[in-house]
Amino acid sequence: MPQKQFREVIRDAIQEEMDRDETVFVMGEEVAEYNGAYKATQGLLDRFGEKRVIDTPISELGFAGLGVGAAMNGLRPIVEFMTFNFALVGVDQIINNAAKIRYMSGGQIKIPIVFRGPNGSAGQLGATHSVSFESMYAHFPGLIVIHPSEPYDAKGLLKSAIRNDNPVIFLESEQMYGMKQEVPEEEYLLPIGEAEIKRKGNDVTVVADGKMYHVARTAADQLAKEGVEVELIDPRTIKPFDMKTVIESVKKTNRCVVVDESHPFGGVAAEVGFQIQRDAFDYLDAPVQRVTIPDVPAPFSRPLFDAWLPNPSQVIDAVNTVTYRK
Amino acid sequence: MTKRKKEPINSRTASIIRATDLPAATKKNHKQLGISDDDLGVLYRSMYLQRRFEERAMQMYQKGKFGGFLHLYIGQEAVSTGTAYALQEEDDFITAYRDHGLGLVKGITANESMAELFGKEGGCSRGKGGSMHYFKTEKHFWGGHAIVGAHLPLAAGLAFANKYRGEDRIAICFFGDGAIDQGALNESFNLAQLWKLPVIYVVENNGYSMGTAVQRHSAGRLMDRAKAYGMKHDEVNGMDLFSVIDKFSKVAKDVRKTGEPWFLEVITYRYRGHSMSDPGNYRTKEELAEYKRIDPIERLKIYVLENGHLTEKELDAINEEVEKEVLESIDFAENSPFPPEEQLYEDVYVEKDFPFLR
């Protein structure tokens, strides 16, 4: 199998779906002539032309809403945000229009749109450019939220997202675009809403999504050397969240740590923790712990930034807490 | 552009337009506008139905038959009736929350309208939208949107999809003067003009953004917003049905031919408050009375009577028929069931078995 970068599989998924379905088109800032701010749409303009690969002005509210209107009227837009931080000026279009119009119309309208782009921090970019939005979007009924951590998952899930008839938030990462993984040449799709156990273990369950999966993976490798076998679950989809896989794992390991790039209040980790205490209370040998970014905006200064972003040693500390190793 | 007899507006500042200072009404008669004698009765009925429907809806609201907000369109009926007449049935209409009038002219029945107000299953949005969120997409009525200005980009998207598929349909988007001040308007205008989208943007300037008069909420003339984008624009006397039909027929034809957007400022007036809780202290009785003197329904009535197209008796018969239809809609709404509780989780996602968090 060929090794493919994250950005390449994003492009491949879009290209395959555009080949397959004339109603799919992509628009966003710099997606066409510039070939994508992060090259996730490289070559698409040459292949499909300007009718279907469309550069937008810096006008997130305008083009997000235009995409929703086009989806209501039968097209399948893929809207790229240069980063999801910029989507905030157009978020009314996502939360009030994309997510609610089907409901308010009593089911008359479907809105098959994918909003995609990088999410979360990407180094020292300061507070406005470093937010991870999976928890925020997952808060709102009507949206599907996908937060893959690896190229293989990203490709199969993006193709499913484009074919899905609901609005989908598809969260990527600037820092993962260069990440490589073996990806099959032949076409495949992955089901939305299914977690994957990416490392088997009996001692502790660690749930980690997106970029945090890799932080947790590093921690798990280190812990293995110390004789602690982590069962590492990548939820891949945040909404709907595959709690079944998590609960089954916790019933086996009796301990759980959730790692997520959201702020703590009402975040993914908070929700997963709640579900575990409700549905696996009697199986727990320790309170569920979480590792998230703290309840503060992203700082610029390097030492502060490093203290802000979750790292493997925090995950190890949390595992040590739930296993009473320290 | 239509010349005003008197210029009530300082060139840089918007202001409430007095009923006596509206853009001149068209001088064309109905034949010159391509309106058949029979259609005169149809148009009268359409406006009168909206009026009576809302008057009855107001009574039902006051009786406590339903809750929520109720924003009445009374006074503005020439705009909905005229635009629907001027455009094609398959053209895509979208509007703000003052949506009963446009809903009714686009094919939502009185029954479906009233049942929606009551929150009943027989409503046009199955009771899930309410007064502000009427929808009937099979009739190309795309809602009923209650965040001011938020549906303007949706209209650009409706037009974008029509153009993408090479269809002849055009989109038309209505909003109040309050929406003029939203960023959504400027982003939508830019995209519509930049990408040459077949859409007509229509501000129904009724003088007030809720209770804030237009000169207190908007700098410059509303119509001039189009100038910055090089968008074709004009103003229309919204109290005169024939003027609306005249202008929108021409504009729709131009949009269909050129594929380019238009912005029309329709000067109109709402007789009732912003919503039911509004005592209207921000305006004078005289101002309201001036507008009522040029009421669009009365105006058409005088036209058909004076020119002998319909008799008083024939108009009375229409009125009676409308009254019956509206009263029946109340019965229908009363008797329509409320949505059963299991519908709470329906229509959020396309899938029937979506695994909601519980």
Side-chain angles (χ1 to χ4, degrees):
Chain A
M1 279 196 286
Q3 291 265 332
K4 289 262 192 178
Q5 284 187 355
F6 205 110
R7 61 163 58 84
E8 291 173 318
V9 302
I10 296 296
R11 191 266 322 278
D12 292 350
I14 296 171
Q15 182 174 308
E16 286 174 24
E17 293 307 301
M18 286 180 73
D19 278 336
R20 182 181 168 269
D21 183 348
E22 192 72 31
T23 66
V24 179
F25 70 98
V26 60
M27 67 174 165
E29 293 152 7
E30 311 295 352
V31 298
E33 296 203 0
Y34 196 88
N35 277 308
Y38 297 100
K39 304 289 175 250
T41 52
Q42 183 129 34
L44 294 180
L45 175 64
D46 285 348
R47 188 179 180 93
F48 298 105
E50 59 189 21
K51 182 189 171 190
R52 298 179 68 197
V53 183
I54 304 164
D55 279 327
T56 65
I58 300 177
S59 185
E60 286 83 3
L61 187 165
F63 67 77
L66 188 150
V68 176
M72 288 164 67
N73 197 6
L75 301 185
R76 306 185 81 87
I78 301 168
V79 174
E80 174 175 311
F81 293 119
M82 195 179 289
T83 96
F84 266 90
N85 292 288
F86 307 157
L88 284 180
V89 295
V91 83
D92 175 53
Q93 295 300 322
I94 301 174
I95 290 171
N96 272 322
N97 285 346
K100 293 177 186 161
I101 283 175
R102 178 175 179 76
Y103 196 69
M104 291 194 297
S105 68
Q108 289 176 65
I109 297 172
K110 59 180 187 183
I111 303 177
I113 188 168
V114 176
F115 296 103
R116 51 154 291 274
N119 173 58
S121 69
Q124 292 171 273
L125 298 179
T128 59
H129 280 52
S130 304
V131 181
S132 199
F133 289 96
E134 61 280 356
S135 299
M136 186 190 89
Y137 286 114
H139 185 73
F140 295 101
L143 300 175
I144 282 174
V145 182
I146 299 174
H147 195 200
S149 66
E150 296 185 290
Y152 175 83
D153 293 343
K155 185 178 181 193
L157 283 165
L158 181 53
K159 283 171 66 74
S160 294
I162 295 166
R163 294 187 198 186
N164 192 281
D165 281 338
N166 301 296
V168 178
I169 307 291
F170 192 91
L171 303 167
E172 301 158 17
S173 161
E174 279 146 281
Q175 290 181 320
M176 297 199 312
Y177 277 133
M179 183 175 286
K180 284 186 172 175
Q181 192 182 21
E182 285 192 345
V183 174
E185 293 275 23
E186 59 274 16
E187 184 177 50
Y188 66 96
L189 285 97
L190 290 175
I192 292 167
E194 282 187 18
E196 190 186 359
I197 300 171
K198 291 192 166 169
R199 188 187 191 286
K200 286 268 182 198
N202 288 320
D203 297 330
V204 56
T205 301
V206 175
V207 181
D209 57 311
K211 196 157 81 237
M212 291 301 107
Y213 165 77
H214 301 283
V215 171
R217 180 99 214 180
T218 305
D221 291 345
Q222 178 61 36
L223 284 160
K225 290 175 194 158
E226 299 168 24
V228 179
E229 294 302 333
V230 168
E231 178 132 304
L232 182 53
I233 297 176
D234 180 354
R236 304 191 290 190
T237 304
I238 303 301
K239 194 162 201 179
F241 199 97
D242 181 3
M243 276 311 300
K244 192 165 165 275
T245 298
V246 173
I247 296 292
E248 275 169 16
S249 175
V250 170
K251 284 181 177 175
K252 181 178 75 175
T253 64
N254 314 111
R255 301 158 204 278
C256 186
V257 171
V258 189
V259 190
D260 180 52
E261 203 178 334
S262 308
H263 296 288
F265 196 102
V268 169
E271 180 59 37
V272 172
F274 163 78
Q275 300 268 344
I276 292 170
Q277 67 79 30
R278 188 187 62 187
D279 295 337
F281 184 78
D282 290 338
Y283 293 86
L284 286 175
D285 285 345
V288 176
Q289 293 293 323
R290 68 181 172 190
V291 178
T292 67
I293 56 170
D295 206 10
V296 297
F300 170 74
S301 175
R302 187 84 228 181
L304 291 180
F305 179 80
D306 288 344
W308 177 83
L309 190 70
N311 59 44
S313 75
Q314 286 171 279
V315 179
I316 290 168
D317 286 348
V319 167
N320 287 342
T321 302
V322 298
T323 53
Y324 302 108
R325 295 174 74 234
K326 275 181 191 163
Chain B
M1 286 223 218
T2 326
K3 274 257 173 1
R4 284 217 186 92
K5 278 181 291 186
K6 221 169 20 165
E7 180 58 70
I9 291 174
N10 176 305
S11 61
R12 285 187 301 276
T13 314
S15 68
I16 296 286
I17 293 159
R18 293 186 55 193
T20 47
D21 293 329
L22 288 173
T26 182
K27 298 237 178 326
K28 291 179 191 161
N29 64 35
H30 70 286
K31 286 254 160 58
Q32 291 166 315
L33 291 168
I35 302 168
S36 69
D37 289 354
D38 285 350
D39 280 356
L40 286 172
V42 173
L43 291 166
Y44 172 82
R45 189 187 193 286
S46 160
M47 290 199 289
Y48 190 67
L49 173 67
Q50 293 168 67
R51 173 103 19 126
R52 285 306 290 154
F53 177 87
E54 288 203 314
E55 285 169 349
R56 290 291 185 191
M58 184 170 66
Q59 284 179 348
M60 294 303 109
Y61 187 86
Q62 285 161 341
K63 278 187 172 177
K65 294 285 183 187
F66 57 90
F69 289 145
L70 185 69
H71 307 91
L72 301 179
Y73 194 65
I74 293 173
Q76 304 182 208
E77 296 93 340
V79 188
S80 50
T81 296
T83 50
Y85 189 81
L87 272 68
Q88 304 293 317
E89 241 179 66
E90 65 278 12
D91 288 333
D92 295 301
F93 280 59
I94 187 166
T95 188
Y97 50 84
R98 202 175 298 285
D99 60 354
H100 311 147
L102 274 158
L104 285 166
V105 301
K106 280 303 286 175
I108 296 174
T109 64
N111 284 354
E112 292 164 340
S113 294
M114 194 64 82
E116 190 58 37
L117 297 181
F118 278 56
K120 298 294 187 73
E121 213 179 356
C124 56
S125 303
R126 296 172 66 206
K128 282 181 167 161
S131 163
M132 302 191 289
H133 307 112
Y134 277 19
F135 286 88
K136 192 165 187 176
T137 58
E138 63 179 87
K139 296 285 188 185
H140 299 273
F141 184 68
W142 294 95
H145 296 268
I147 301 293
V148 173
H151 64 295
L152 275 73
L154 300 181
L158 295 172
F160 178 94
N162 290 337
K163 181 181 178 177
Y164 187 95
R165 284 189 296 254
E167 287 177 7
D168 197 32
R169 282 154 59 190
I170 64 175
I172 183 165
C173 177
F174 299 83
F175 47 92
D177 46 288
I180 287 283
D181 309 318
Q182 286 280 24
L185 176 129
N186 291 288
E187 296 199 24
S188 301
F189 277 22
N190 185 46
L191 289 169
Q193 189 64 44
L194 189 67
W195 294 351
K196 299 212 179 334
L197 302 177
V199 56
I200 306 171
Y201 283 107
V202 186
V203 59
E204 293 184 77
N205 179 3
N206 63 20
Y208 296 93
S209 160
M210 195 167 163
T212 306
V214 64
Q215 66 267 26
R216 294 202 298 122
H217 74 68
S218 216
R221 291 183 58 175
L222 308 191
M223 184 173 67
D224 289 352
R225 291 294 202 279
K227 284 185 181 170
Y229 304 98
M231 190 187 287
K232 290 178 254 188
H233 57 282
D234 206 346
E235 60 183 357
V236 190
N237 182 329
M239 302 305 282
D240 179 52
L241 178 69
F242 288 0
S243 298
V244 175
I245 292 175
D246 190 16
K247 178 60 69 183
F248 279 83
S249 300
K250 287 180 200 152
V251 166
K253 204 172 153 192
D254 183 73
V255 174
R256 240 179 277 280
K257 194 174 123 206
T258 65
E260 289 176 22
W262 266 83
F263 178 40
L264 290 172
E265 178 180 355
V266 179
I267 316 295
T268 182
Y269 202 78
R270 71 168 147 74
Y271 297 173
R272 299 285 168 180
H274 164 72
S275 66
M276 295 303 290
S277 59
D278 170 14
N281 294 334
Y282 47 83
R283 62 181 177 186
T284 63
K285 287 198 179 74
E286 292 71 28
E287 183 183 293
L288 177 59
E290 272 186 10
Y291 267 97
K292 285 188 172 175
R293 274 199 287 279
I294 55 162
D295 181 76
I297 300 178
E298 283 303 311
R299 198 164 180 157
L300 183 62
K301 193 171 164 182
I302 291 163
Y303 178 89
V304 296
L305 287 173
E306 281 184 352
N307 294 289
H309 301 298
L310 288 167
T311 62
E312 284 277 7
K313 211 175 150 190
E314 284 166 325
L315 286 172
D316 285 347
I318 293 173
N319 291 356
E320 264 177 52
E321 196 185 287
V322 164
E323 191 63 24
K324 195 163 158 264
E325 185 177 342
V326 173
L327 290 173
E328 277 172 10
S329 79
I330 294 170
D331 286 342
F332 176 84
E334 295 266 23
N335 294 323
S336 176
F338 282 111
E341 204 175 309
E342 56 266 26
Q343 279 188 19
L344 183 62
Y345 282 89
E346 278 178 24
D347 308 323
V348 185
Y349 294 92
V350 170
E351 296 81 10
K352 292 266 179 237
D353 59 344
F354 188 88
F356 290 97
L357 276 188
R358 313 254 183 165

